[in-house]
Amino acid sequence: MITLLTYPKAFGEFSASPFCTKAGYLLQMSGFEWQREDTLDPRKFKYAKLPAIRVDGEVICDSDNIRAFLESKGADFDAALNGDDRASARAFSRMAEEHMYFHQALDRWGNEDVWPIIQQEYFSMIPKLVRGFVTGKMRKVFLQGMHVQGLGRFTPEERLARLEHDLQAIAGRLENRKFLFGDTPCSADASIAAILGGMRASPAPTPQSKRIIGDAVLMRYVDAMQQTVKLP
Ligand SMILES: N[C@@H](CCC(=O)N[C@@H](CS)C(=O)NCC(=O)O)C(=O)O
């Protein structure tokens, strides 16, 4: 039995972290038996991040490593794809995880309406008396990281304009398809649908969440993924 170590459910999503949701999708798509175990503290894990899986006493951290492990055990998430599409699927996953994810994270940690909500939701395990101080420091470190990454230097309007190109690339693939590369979900859908699901599940409305919720194609796609790959 594989155990997925994940942040808990949040705002109607499988997890507060789209990487945990992605890992959940991959596990479910693999057909292997698995269960979830929720934790709020990533510090004891190799990269001090989640998700991770525990299997036969071994802990494997990072959703890409989880994917590689599942593939080493026989899962092939892109079995229906030809060589070109397999390459494109990999690029779509990277777009989701190395670009869109930071838009979503900034929309939570950087937005003054959303931040107070996630401060309570994500960090309820920190005693109330010191929560504001501790999480304020964490937020500062996060925003410094986003400044180094680059997106943190843009205004919300500039960020949305940049994200728009990704959303149009996704919508373009979905014009004649239920999922990004056909009628069944593949590896790229695990990443892209997890991020889009997180974006639309913002606990307070933002221009980004409104953009996703107002897009019938993207909404239908995330719904289709959630209905096809049902997560616990
Ligand atoms: N590359 C990692 C990214 C995972 C990740 O960024 N997890 C975030 C939550 S979305 C995390 O645990 N962050 C904790 C921290 O930075 O302290 C993966 O694919 O699993």
Side-chain angles (χ1 to χ4, degrees):
M1 169 76 95
I2 303 171
T3 299
L4 173 64
L5 301 146
T6 172
Y7 293 112
K9 289 178 192 251
F11 316 127
E13 289 294 293
F14 170 78
S15 170
S17 159
F19 290 101
C20 293
T21 304
K22 169 200 166 186
Y25 279 144
L26 291 178
L27 281 158
Q28 195 68 3
M29 286 156 69
S30 76
F32 298 134
E33 212 183 325
W34 68 283
Q35 62 187 2
R36 71 180 292 163
E37 186 179 304
D38 292 355
T39 173
L40 283 164
D41 189 357
R43 285 173 300 180
K44 59 179 179 290
F45 296 96
K46 184 172 176 192
Y47 307 117
K49 286 183 175 222
L50 289 172
I53 55 171
R54 191 171 54 234
V55 51
D56 296 332
E58 193 192 350
V59 176
I60 296 160
C61 301
D62 192 287
S63 67
D64 249 16
N65 292 341
I66 294 170
R67 172 181 173 179
F69 168 81
L70 295 172
E71 287 174 339
S72 77
K73 297 292 173 198
D76 185 354
F77 303 105
D78 296 344
L81 277 54
N82 65 27
D84 280 358
D85 283 352
R86 278 175 179 257
S88 299
R90 181 67 73 169
F92 266 82
S93 290
R94 290 281 184 247
M95 179 175 81
E97 297 173 25
E98 306 298 339
H99 185 238
M100 296 172 71
Y101 165 68
F102 293 110
H103 285 271
Q104 193 222 314
L106 261 170
D107 210 44
R108 295 213 168 157
W109 290 67
N111 182 296
E112 298 306 326
D113 294 330
V114 178
W115 167 248
I117 304 172
I118 68 157
Q119 194 176 21
Q120 303 309 321
E121 177 87 10
Y122 290 3
F123 304 109
S124 56
M125 73 296 197
I126 301 176
K128 228 176 177 166
L129 208 62
V130 291
R131 195 180 299 157
F133 176 73
V134 174
T135 57
K137 270 175 72 175
M138 292 166 84
R139 185 189 198 202
K140 198 169 163 200
V141 170
F142 170 80
L143 293 176
Q144 279 166 350
M146 290 313 304
H147 186 77
V148 173
Q149 192 268 354
L151 279 181
R153 297 168 198 234
F154 294 167
T155 64
E157 293 73 27
E158 288 171 329
R159 289 207 306 268
L160 203 55
R162 185 158 292 216
L163 177 65
E164 184 60 29
H165 297 291
D166 298 16
L167 300 178
Q168 282 179 16
I170 295 165
R173 294 241 27 118
L174 294 172
E175 221 163 87
N176 306 309
R177 299 176 191 88
K178 189 170 178 187
F179 296 103
L180 290 168
F181 291 90
D183 289 336
T184 51
C186 72
S187 61
D189 296 295
S191 301
I192 295 275
I195 299 281
L196 289 176
M199 284 179 168
R200 79 174 181 179
S202 173
T206 66
Q208 186 183 100
S209 69
K210 286 186 201 157
R211 168 65 183 86
I212 307 298
I213 290 166
D215 190 315
V217 173
L218 298 181
M219 290 292 280
R220 175 189 53 74
Y221 168 65
V222 178
D223 288 343
M225 188 67 179
Q226 291 181 351
Q227 282 154 20
T228 306
V229 188
K230 284 206 163 66
L231 296 180

